[in-house]
Amino acid sequence: MIGLLKGRVESTHEGGCILDVNGVGYLLSCSRKTLDALTTREGPHRVLVETRVSQDAITLFGFADATEREAFRALIEVKTVGPQKALIVLSSLSPDGLARAIAAKERKRLAEVKGLGAATANRIVDEPAMQKWAVGRATPDADGEGALPAIAPEQGAEADAVSALVNLGWKQPQAAAAIARAAKRLGEGATLDALIRDGLKEMAR
């Protein structure tokens, strides 16, 4: 099986490209994000490959990095998703963004992915294996959010909600900041479940 190719992009097409490797053209199916990465600069590219064999074809799926390939592998294990729908998802959401959406159960966010549909979005969110995959990867955005100072939460539901987010893999400063924003929006008397739910939505933004 082919796991990696290194070559130059010969041409692109809807849903993929042809990668010229020493004069041999490999037809790769790729997400829009990988295609953008392959076409933003000239020169040889290192492309990770997932090979899928069916009764009538051998299809190569190309990825710019291991994180996207890992997300692809997780998605295709969900019933009715399949490789092409997995690429549709990864064309709209980064692996980290997908993980945050699943961890926060953002069904609407996934359903808005063009070509996916509400039923498939719900299936992805509800799949236990996808939840397990997402929890370990749902990290805050690297856009300065991680530099937020720690905010000391009040004791009680807020403290418990911060602890819940930390247990899901986020760092304490980001979790505290998210819960503080959620508590401010929800007002006094917010329940633990409501704080966690809104805190996860904050982390998914």
Side-chain angles (χ1 to χ4, degrees):
M1 294 294 179
I2 298 173
L4 183 147
L5 292 170
K6 187 174 182 181
R8 299 175 182 273
V9 176
E10 175 67 24
S11 63
T12 62
H13 56 85
E14 184 65 29
C17 69
I18 293 177
L19 193 71
D20 184 336
V21 181
N22 297 324
V24 178
Y26 290 85
L27 180 63
L28 303 178
S29 293
C30 308
S31 71
R32 170 49 55 187
K33 294 180 183 298
T34 286
L35 277 179
D36 288 345
L38 294 177
T39 55
T40 52
R41 66 174 179 84
E42 297 182 356
H45 295 276
R46 180 177 177 272
V47 184
L48 298 177
V49 175
E50 181 77 6
T51 305
R52 307 294 296 182
V53 180
S54 62
Q55 289 184 340
D56 55 359
I58 298 176
T59 307
L60 304 180
F61 296 90
F63 306 94
D65 56 61
T67 304
E68 189 184 52
R69 182 171 65 177
E70 183 183 353
F72 174 84
R73 288 172 171 172
L75 283 167
I76 61 177
E77 294 301 320
V78 179
K79 186 178 179 181
T80 76
V81 173
Q84 296 304 325
K85 283 191 176 180
L87 290 183
I88 288 174
V89 173
L90 294 172
S91 291
S92 297
L93 296 171
S94 68
D96 283 347
L98 173 63
R100 289 192 295 270
I102 293 172
K105 295 187 180 294
E106 288 281 354
R107 303 173 189 276
K108 183 178 179 181
R109 187 178 183 188
L110 280 172
E112 289 174 348
V113 173
K114 187 176 180 180
L116 190 62
T120 302
N122 287 334
R123 190 170 287 113
I124 291 172
V125 170
D126 293 332
E127 176 67 39
M130 288 303 301
Q131 282 289 328
K132 183 178 179 180
W133 172 84
V135 165
R137 294 158 182 81
T139 56
D141 287 321
D143 59 357
E145 188 74 10
L148 288 173
I151 296 177
E154 297 178 2
Q155 295 301 311
E158 287 187 46
D160 290 341
V162 171
S163 179
L165 293 192
V166 170
N167 289 335
L168 284 174
W170 279 284
K171 293 182 179 180
Q172 198 277 343
Q174 290 81 18
I179 294 301
R181 291 193 296 269
K184 182 177 181 180
R185 182 169 58 252
L186 293 172
E188 293 185 10
T191 65
L192 175 60
D193 286 346
L195 286 168
I196 293 174
R197 183 170 57 252
D198 271 40
L200 284 170
K201 289 180 180 179
E202 286 287 338
M203 301 300 272
R205 292 182 187 280

